[in-house]
Amino acid sequence: MVVLSVPAEVTVILLDIEGTTTPIAFVKAEEDSHLDGAVPIPAASGNGADDLQQMIQAVVDNVRWQMSLDRKTTALKQLQGHMWRAAFAAGRMKAEFFEDVVPAVRKWREAGMKVYIYSSGSVEAQKLLFGHSTEGDILELVDGHFDTKIGHKVESESYRKIANSIGCSTNNILFLTDVTLEASAAEEADVHVAVVVRPGNAGLTDDEKTYYSLITSFSELYLPSST
C-alpha cells in the first residue's frame, strides 16, 4: 500500500465529495433521478395559462440543460439540495460513501484533526448526504461545510477565505480532491493537496500523475501523530 505522509503543520483536512468521498456515479444518478417534478407545471386554467406553462417548461428545460453540462452554479446546486431533501425525507435515498472514508475520518478526528467539506453542492445537500448515509447519520464527523457561496473551487482566493473562516493558515490545510484544476487553485493559496484516484473518476494525464501526490484510498494517508 502506498503511504502519503501528512505534513506536520496540517491540522485541518478539507474534503471534496463527488469522486472523493462519494462515487461520481451515485451523485449524478441521484441528481438526474430526482429532477422530475422538482418544478411542477400547472395545467392551463385561464387567461395567460398557456404562456405561463411555456415559461415554466422553459425553466425546466434550462435546469436539465445545466445539469447535463454539470454546471456548478450556486443557484443550481441549491435547487438540487431542495430536490434531495424531499428524497431523503421520504426515505427513498441513502448517501453512498467509499468504504475507506468513514473509518479514516474517525481516525483523523481521534488524532485531533478537524475535518471540513468543500463541495460545489450546497451546504444543505452536503448535510443531507452526511445525515442520511448508508453508514447512518455521520454529520458529527464533520466540523463544518463550505460551498460555492464562499467562492468557486477553481479560484485560489476561495481557499484563503476558507482558512480565514476556520481560523487557520492555508498551509495548515490538506485538501483532498479528484479534480486537478481544484488542486492547482488550492496550491496557489499555499494549501497542501492530494489528488484522489477513484473508480469512475476522470483520467489523469501523465504530467498530472507525476506532479501531484496521488492516493486511491483515505487509508493511504499517514498522520505523523498516528501510532
Side-chain angles (χ1 to χ4, degrees), residues 197-213:
V197 180
R198 300 284 199 183
N201 287 4
L204 303 176
T205 66
D206 289 340
D207 287 344
E208 289 171 336
K209 292 176 182 177
T210 300
Y211 179 78
Y212 290 105
S213 297

Side-chain angles (χ1 to χ4, degrees), residues 1 5 7 21 25 32 36 46 51 74 76 82 85 92 101 107 118 130-131 166-167 176 179 196 199-200 206 208 223:
M1 180 180 68
S5 184
T21 66
D32 293 343
D36 292 337
D51 288 340
T74 300
L76 178 63
H82 295 322
R85 179 174 57 192
R92 298 195 306 268
V101 171
K107 183 177 180 180
Y118 182 28
F130 283 83
I166 294 173
L176 304 184
V179 180
V196 183
D206 289 340
E208 289 171 336
L223 305 183

Side-chain angles (χ1 to χ4, degrees), residues 10-74:
V10 168
T11 57
V12 172
I13 297 181
L14 183 65
L15 300 175
D16 169 50
I17 291 180
E18 185 178 336
T20 299
T21 66
T22 300
I24 287 178
F26 167 81
V27 177
K28 291 194 179 301
E30 295 304 332
E31 286 176 351
D32 293 343
S33 66
H34 293 94
L35 180 61
D36 292 337
V39 183
I41 301 175
S45 59
N47 293 333
D50 288 343
D51 288 340
L52 176 61
Q53 185 171 359
Q54 290 176 4
M55 184 179 300
I56 293 175
Q57 184 61 53
V59 171
V60 174
D61 291 343
N62 181 265
V63 169
R64 288 185 181 277
W65 171 73
Q66 290 192 58
M67 291 179 68
S68 72
L69 297 178
D70 196 24
R71 290 290 179 90
K72 304 297 185 181
T73 60
T74 300

Side-chain angles (χ1 to χ4, degrees), residues 6-206:
V6 176
E9 66 266 29
V10 168
T11 57
V12 172
I13 297 181
L14 183 65
L15 300 175
D16 169 50
I17 291 180
E18 185 178 336
T20 299
T21 66
T22 300
I24 287 178
F26 167 81
V27 177
K28 291 194 179 301
E30 295 304 332
E31 286 176 351
D32 293 343
S33 66
H34 293 94
L35 180 61
D36 292 337
V39 183
I41 301 175
S45 59
N47 293 333
D50 288 343
D51 288 340
L52 176 61
Q53 185 171 359
Q54 290 176 4
M55 184 179 300
I56 293 175
Q57 184 61 53
V59 171
V60 174
D61 291 343
N62 181 265
V63 169
R64 288 185 181 277
W65 171 73
Q66 290 192 58
M67 291 179 68
S68 72
L69 297 178
D70 196 24
R71 290 290 179 90
K72 304 297 185 181
T73 60
T74 300
L76 178 63
K77 292 301 181 179
Q78 288 177 326
L79 173 59
Q80 290 170 347
H82 295 322
M83 291 154 51
W84 280 14
R85 179 174 57 192
F88 278 120
R92 298 195 306 268
M93 185 171 159
K94 294 286 186 183
E96 178 182 344
F97 291 90
F98 290 108
E99 63 181 11
D100 56 277
V101 171
V102 174
V105 173
R106 291 189 189 280
K107 183 177 180 180
W108 298 341
R109 290 180 59 86
E110 289 171 1
M113 288 285 177
K114 298 291 187 182
V115 178
Y116 289 82
I117 305 299
Y118 182 28
S119 173
S120 56
S122 68
V123 167
E124 178 185 17
Q126 295 174 33
K127 290 181 176 180
L128 286 169
L129 281 171
F130 283 83
H132 301 80
S133 81
T134 54
E135 303 286 335
D137 184 346
I138 54 174
L139 270 172
E140 65 179 12
L141 299 180
V142 180
D143 292 283
H145 301 260
F146 299 98
D147 58 20
T148 54
K149 286 183 179 179
I150 204 162
H152 291 287
K153 297 174 73 179
V154 295
E155 298 173 354
S156 58
E157 185 60 25
S158 303
Y159 299 89
R160 298 186 183 96
K161 290 179 179 178
I162 287 174
N164 184 63
S165 177
I166 294 173
C168 68
S169 299
T170 52
N171 71 347
N172 296 139
I173 299 174
L174 171 63
F175 179 46
L176 304 184
T177 180
D178 64 304
V179 180
T180 55
L181 285 176
E182 297 172 1
S184 177
E187 275 196 333
E188 288 180 12
D190 200 27
V191 169
H192 298 281
V193 301
V195 173
V196 183
V197 180
R198 300 284 199 183
N201 287 4
L204 303 176
T205 66
D206 289 340

